[in-house]
Amino acid sequence: QVQLVESGGGSVQAGGSLRLSCAASGYTYSSACMGWFRQAPGKEREGVAAIWTATGSKYYATSVKDRFTISQDNAKNTVYLQMNSLKPEDTAMYYCAADRASARCSWKWSQGPGAFGYWGQGTQVTVSS
């Protein structure tokens, strides 16, 4: 059974930082496309960043590039999202997602949330001005 467990959310002031963690189990982590998505109230779920665990290739949304960094710790089967220079518009529920990299992770990333079959429960990030 695939499980993704997120942690690290919280409340910060604008300009602050948070690091989200996603611990994965139940599948072949060594070759998976893992992503972070977020959903604000009244808005559609959108991609934030993704990583292909086999190669380390990374993908970012334009809105977070140069502020957020996705990384992986293969020994812990964990993916991280380091979020710096946070803005009020970053406020959302953040979800970890994963899928087997049977197709290129870049393609899955381009397809959006529907291309990812496994999801965590989410962790709330709130940024105040």
Side-chain angles (χ1 to χ4, degrees):
Q1 181 179 359
V2 176
Q3 281 195 317
L4 302 173
V5 180
E6 302 105 328
S7 60
S11 297
V12 295
Q13 290 193 325
S17 298
L18 284 172
R19 188 177 81 155
L20 306 183
S21 300
C22 173
S25 63
Y27 68 98
T28 306
Y29 171 88
S30 61
S31 182
C33 187
M34 298 192 68
W36 285 99
F37 294 79
R38 66 186 182 187
Q39 188 167 19
K43 294 189 176 181
E44 291 187 355
R45 192 168 296 189
E46 63 176 1
V48 177
I51 188 167
W52 190 351
T53 61
T55 65
S57 297
K58 303 175 183 180
Y59 314 94
Y60 293 96
T62 302
S63 60
V64 306
K65 201 170 184 179
D66 299 328
R67 298 189 298 124
F68 292 9
T69 302
I70 191 169
S71 62
Q72 62 187 70
D73 184 333
N74 291 346
K76 296 181 178 179
N77 282 5
T78 299
V79 170
Y80 303 97
L81 185 69
Q82 177 67 43
M83 304 185 295
N84 298 329
S85 302
L86 282 162
K87 304 175 181 180
E89 51 263 43
D90 294 318
T91 296
M93 183 72 78
Y94 282 70
Y95 297 91
C96 177
D99 208 80
R100 294 177 178 86
S102 54
R104 291 172 62 88
C105 190
S106 58
W107 180 85
K108 290 183 181 291
W109 170 246
S110 71
Q111 296 301 300
F116 290 77
Y118 304 105
W119 291 84
Q121 81 286 355
T123 185
Q124 178 68 37
V125 172
T126 302
V127 185
S128 58
S129 57

